[in-house]
Amino acid sequence: MRKKINILALSPEQFAVLLSGLGHPAYRAGQILVWLYQKGARSFAEMTNLPKSLRQQLSEFAEIGFLETVKRQVSRDGTEKYLFALADGQMVETVGLPYNIGYSACISTQVGCKMGCIFCASGLPGFGRNLSAAEILAQVLQIKEELSAQGKELKSLVLMGTGEPLDNFAAMVPFLEAVRDPQRLGMSLRHVTLSTAGLVPKIRELAALKLPLTLAVSLHASNNTLRDKIMPINKKYQMEELLAACDEYSKLTGRRITYEYTLIEGLNDGIKEARELALLLKKRACHLNLIPFNAVPELGLSPSPQPVMQAFVAALRSSGLKVTVRRRLGADIAAACGQLSNKMSGDC
Ligand code: SAH
């Protein structure tokens, strides 16, 4: 049997081509997009203003690639974690995070991860595969729909789930197009943050697109010797190269970079590191987001104690750097940063 076309991945233009191939006028594309993105239709049968013949053809040749919700867990703090099954049986996790201004969805871009950062759970099961743009978009649509059923609104997206988004660049571009297209999600890219371990050539490629997207860069170290030890990608792209690419990103997009730094006890949390970090960042158009380390039992690392963290923050702030500390959300259901690894698939 021929593989059906997943219409979640289609742009309005591609839609119009598909429809004309089926012998229908292009304006039907607009009607279908309203059903999909505004009315939350899950089947062609629901699209009652389309002729029956078109609905029939679409069910034969196309599909709406929603993901199967295998499990949903809710944290004490209101964070919601979903385990979704993809069509080939692989699984991904997506998280809905409550903030004062509304909800944020933390989206996965790959099954597993190749980066091998020593503090992160995402790569523990190994690398599965890249997600398609449609599979990434489906996570957003499904979280959005769940939230709106509870009277809540999705305000922002963070590409910080499992995987390295810039290692799946080919899917990122059509995904971001769908996010900002007024006929589809219609969300400003100013409310989207993409976090990367530091794939320098891809940061430069993204910069050239001049999207108003926030780029978050996982630094986690203040010098190459330390970063080489904890993030294998640093052996390929050293910090000087990475920071230069980030400067170019800021210059071309006019956006400040968010540098992420997870504080791990005894590893990167000393005053020496704080001072080195201040020297590296204080002249740059950036903001530093400190992340309390979230425990991953297999990794044998611990979060920095409160006083150590406070001293680290104070040393950085005294240098004039803009520093924030990320709120820890969803830790009781292993939904916090670095804890996603599809563990839920084992116990359901
Ligand atoms: N691949 C992307 C997205 C990772 S998740 C990247 O590397 O940036 C988002 C952030 O959480 C990253 O900065 C990541 O390094 C950090 N992180 C990973 N494991 C963590 C853990 N156990 N505790 C706290 N933060 C962690």
Side-chain angles (χ1 to χ4, degrees):
M1 205 180 74
R2 245 185 58 200
K3 201 170 175 297
K4 290 185 174 180
I5 297 167
N6 182 353
I7 60 167
L8 284 186
L10 298 184
S11 65
E13 296 73 30
Q14 290 170 320
F15 238 123
V17 172
L18 171 75
L19 288 170
S20 83
L22 295 174
H24 295 270
Y27 75 86
R28 296 284 182 205
Q31 291 177 315
I32 299 173
L33 289 169
V34 169
W35 279 108
L36 278 181
Y37 294 96
Q38 263 130 69
K39 299 188 183 165
R42 292 288 179 110
S43 69
F44 297 115
E46 290 166 63
M47 302 182 181
T48 45
N49 58 353
L50 302 183
K52 257 212 172 107
S53 61
L54 175 55
R55 280 183 266 162
Q56 182 62 37
Q57 284 171 310
L58 285 171
S59 341
E60 260 172 59
F61 297 110
E63 63 186 357
I64 309 173
F66 280 105
L67 312 175
E68 182 200 341
T69 307
V70 177
K71 191 166 176 176
R72 171 174 175 262
Q73 279 178 291
V74 183
S75 152
R76 281 191 294 273
D77 60 31
T79 302
E80 297 180 13
K81 180 163 88 165
Y82 293 85
L83 180 69
F84 291 124
L86 309 170
D88 63 357
Q90 304 247 34
M91 308 268 186
V92 283
E93 286 174 325
T94 309
V95 179
L97 299 151
Y99 290 106
N100 297 338
I101 52 147
Y103 273 74
S104 183
C106 178
I107 305 296
S108 292
T109 54
Q110 296 179 316
V111 178
C113 184
K114 293 181 209 158
M115 297 296 113
C117 303
I118 67 157
F119 44 82
C120 184
S122 295
L124 289 176
F127 177 71
R129 67 169 171 84
N130 279 331
L131 297 187
S132 67
E135 288 167 333
I136 301 170
L137 187 61
Q139 295 172 62
V140 181
L141 292 173
Q142 283 172 250
I143 293 276
K144 191 176 165 190
E145 194 176 287
E146 289 280 349
L147 288 173
S148 88
Q150 301 170 33
K152 297 169 185 163
E153 201 184 341
L154 179 65
K155 290 275 194 188
S156 62
L157 300 178
V158 292
L159 295 164
M160 294 191 189
T162 304
E164 166 51 48
L166 295 187
D167 186 37
N168 188 9
F169 199 84
M172 267 316 101
V173 177
F175 166 72
L176 293 171
E177 270 310 314
V179 169
R180 72 165 173 179
D181 178 0
Q183 280 190 282
R184 287 180 282 164
L185 266 174
M187 195 183 245
S188 160
L189 292 185
R190 291 185 169 270
H191 301 304
V192 180
T193 301
L194 182 153
S195 180
T196 178
L199 274 65
V200 167
K202 296 295 170 191
I203 292 177
R204 291 189 181 275
E205 228 176 289
L206 189 66
L209 299 177
K210 297 190 181 171
L211 301 172
L213 183 75
T214 302
L215 183 67
V217 176
S218 296
L219 213 51
H220 308 313
S222 55
N223 59 61
N224 281 314
T225 316
L226 178 57
R227 200 164 187 269
D228 279 349
K229 264 198 248 165
I230 64 176
M231 297 182 71
I233 189 74
N234 199 65
K235 298 202 179 106
K236 201 158 178 194
Y237 308 112
Q238 295 267 289
M239 288 172 76
E240 297 71 21
E241 245 187 292
L242 173 59
L243 293 169
C246 292
D247 290 345
E248 178 170 306
Y249 186 91
S250 287
K251 199 168 130 203
L252 288 178
T253 61
R255 306 282 292 161
R256 278 172 186 273
I257 304 287
T258 296
Y259 289 101
E260 298 162 288
Y261 196 105
T262 296
L263 283 162
I264 307 169
E265 184 176 28
L267 195 72
N268 62 358
D269 60 354
I271 292 300
K272 171 183 171 283
E273 282 83 20
R275 292 202 179 117
E276 276 180 348
L277 196 57
L279 273 181
L280 280 180
L281 300 185
K282 73 179 181 196
K283 295 228 171 68
R284 304 194 129 91
C286 70
H287 145 230
L288 179 67
N289 193 213
L290 293 175
I291 312 175
F293 176 71
N294 294 304
V296 177
E298 296 90 325
L299 301 178
L301 300 167
S302 310
S304 305
Q306 266 302 323
V308 172
M309 194 154 146
Q310 281 160 1
F312 198 89
V313 173
L316 285 162
R317 287 203 175 130
S318 69
S319 75
L321 201 66
K322 191 164 172 267
V323 184
T324 49
V325 179
R326 189 174 295 176
R327 257 173 75 203
R328 189 186 259 135
L329 287 172
D332 57 319
I333 55 166
C337 297
Q339 292 183 316
L340 300 184
S341 75
N342 290 355
K343 200 114 36 58
M344 288 203 295
S345 49
D347 58 23
C348 56

